[in-house]
Amino acid sequence: NPRYRYKSPYARFGFDGNGVKLAEPYHLLGSSDMIHWDQINDAQILPNYADSSPSLIRNPVTGRYQATIRRRWGERRVCLVESEDLKSWSEPRCILHPSPNDPPTTHYYDMPHYYYEPGEIFLGFLWHHIMPFDRIMDGPMYTEYTYSYDGLTWNRTGARMVPERPRGEYGAGIHYVESMIDRGEDIVFYMGAGLGEHGGVPEEWKPGMKARTVMIPGVLPKNRFVCIDSYKGGKAEVLTQHLLLHKPELRLNANVPFGSLKAELLEGNKPIPGYTFEDFQPIWGDFLDKPLCWKGGGLNRFVEEKKWIRLHIAFEQTEIYGIMGDFSFTIN
């Protein structure tokens, strides 16, 4: 329905003109232009108010709409609801709960999530709230990367999306990474960041001082969430599993600013003549999509012969973010 091309969960919260508190269930709004919004129907995404920021996507794996949301007010863990028609919604089920490895009194506040098509992967931004005992409005908050291959089962990484910041800087007390926009060559994230912790800055805050909260954008080059690093000036090697090429190309997403990178192809554990380290055209520089080339020529013969090969890379002062190509792989 073009009228509801854009969709967003919402719930009214606050006080009406008579001072009566409002905390309504979540419904769905729709818009054609992201400016004018109407309630799509009377279906409740959640039958009660949950004091959270629900994140809605259409899951290309399941073919259903889904939203990450908290089950109810005061229950700080991440749940999931699903719908096939936006008219009936499943009961919320918990998908992420604080673990024994988290600091004591950790709560999961929310998890905006997105489908990242180039990687065929779901990305989640898990908001941690480290709440002092029995002080529900206090404590710092930060964001952790999570990921999923189907949007239903989620994996923790333990990796902060934003490095810990010194006290007094924006994002030191709280930061919520909330929005992600894929622009092709890079990804833009938007983070809400505050000077103080959850619950705000002290009451002594005076007008005219720095803004309590700001919005901060951050840019990440394409497909650079994770890398293999040669570490501090050292040399390193990577040996892939056995690859069966379906197209005659292998490419790298790598940053080689000062050191060097060379590669060779192996059959079993033996270098293939014409495709050894000595035959490789060395790489220096920063590349998102760099073809690998050898004096032995292209890779058509490996496609035609359906020959299993392995890629062996030696590198120094380098970050390797991805090995790309159209291939199958196996351990033997």
Side-chain angles (χ1 to χ4, degrees):
N1 186 341
R3 181 181 173 190
Y4 300 135
R5 178 182 178 187
Y6 304 101
K7 304 168 183 67
S8 176
Y10 92 106
R12 290 201 304 166
F13 175 75
F15 296 88
D16 66 11
N18 299 317
V20 178
K21 192 171 187 178
L22 297 172
E24 297 183 348
Y26 280 89
H27 292 83
L28 201 62
L29 295 181
S31 173
S32 63
D33 58 8
M34 297 180 65
I35 297 175
H36 305 91
W37 296 81
D38 300 304
Q39 185 169 311
I40 293 178
N41 54 39
D42 293 329
Q44 296 179 356
I45 297 177
L46 197 68
N48 44 268
Y49 183 74
D51 185 28
S52 67
S53 301
S55 171
L56 176 74
I57 67 170
R58 187 177 187 279
N59 186 323
V61 176
T62 65
R64 299 188 291 268
Y65 293 93
Q66 66 180 51
T68 50
I69 196 169
R70 300 217 305 258
R71 192 192 311 266
R72 60 178 64 86
W73 200 354
E75 183 181 323
R76 290 175 176 164
R77 55 182 185 163
V78 180
C79 295
L80 186 81
V81 294
E82 297 180 277
S83 176
E84 294 185 355
D85 55 9
L86 301 180
K87 297 178 182 178
S88 59
W89 291 84
S90 65
E91 291 292 320
R93 65 177 182 86
C94 182
I95 57 173
L96 281 173
H97 187 284
S99 73
N101 294 329
D102 288 317
T105 68
T106 292
H107 297 241
Y108 291 166
Y109 209 81
D110 258 326
M111 190 184 75
H113 69 314
Y114 296 85
Y115 181 66
Y116 182 57
E117 188 171 359
E120 296 181 351
I121 195 170
F122 296 82
L123 301 174
F125 313 143
L126 181 62
W127 299 354
H128 289 241
H129 181 191
I130 314 300
M131 187 191 84
F133 179 71
D134 206 28
R135 291 164 54 193
I136 63 174
M137 291 302 294
D138 298 339
M141 297 187 65
Y142 68 90
T143 306
E144 174 193 352
Y145 276 116
T146 61
Y147 67 97
S148 171
Y149 295 109
D150 62 5
L152 306 177
T153 303
W154 288 82
N155 301 289
R156 297 273 306 277
T157 65
R160 287 179 178 238
M161 292 190 68
V162 179
E164 191 168 357
R165 300 191 173 203
R167 179 72 67 189
E169 290 188 7
Y170 288 114
I174 55 172
H175 67 255
Y176 314 88
V177 180
E178 193 154 6
S179 298
M180 168 182 150
I181 300 174
D182 181 6
R183 300 195 300 186
E185 289 304 308
D186 59 25
I187 300 171
V188 180
F189 299 91
Y190 288 95
M191 174 181 76
L195 291 174
E197 298 178 355
H198 185 271
V201 297
E203 294 182 359
E204 293 78 15
W205 197 258
K206 299 293 190 299
M209 300 178 74
K210 292 174 68 175
R212 301 182 188 209
T213 58
V214 296
M215 181 181 292
I216 300 176
V219 179
L220 184 73
K222 183 179 181 180
N223 294 334
R224 288 200 166 175
F225 293 97
V226 179
C227 76
I228 295 173
D229 193 334
S230 58
Y231 202 51
K232 298 182 178 180
K235 296 182 178 181
E237 297 183 27
V238 170
L239 179 62
T240 70
Q241 298 179 8
H242 299 262
L243 311 177
L244 181 64
L245 301 185
H246 304 303
K247 292 183 180 179
E249 58 181 5
L250 287 170
R251 308 182 310 279
L252 275 188
N253 182 340
N255 181 23
V256 196
F258 311 115
S260 63
L261 183 148
K262 55 185 179 179
E264 65 179 356
L265 298 181
L266 309 180
E267 185 174 4
N269 291 316
K270 296 182 179 180
I272 300 173
Y275 298 88
T276 66
F277 284 142
E278 291 71 25
D279 300 313
F280 183 73
Q281 296 180 12
I283 291 177
W284 290 275
D286 192 355
F287 304 97
L288 295 176
D289 199 12
K290 178 69 172 178
L292 303 183
C293 300
W294 290 266
K295 293 179 182 178
L299 305 179
N300 297 76
R301 54 173 284 201
F302 302 110
V303 177
E304 296 168 357
E305 297 172 5
K306 299 186 183 304
K307 180 175 291 187
W308 291 88
I309 59 175
R310 307 175 83 183
L311 179 63
H312 183 203
I313 304 174
F315 54 100
E316 183 177 0
Q317 298 188 55
T318 292
E319 300 161 348
I320 299 177
Y321 291 89
I323 301 169
M324 286 88 69
D326 186 355
F327 52 77
S328 303
F329 57 89
T330 184
I331 60 173
N332 58 14

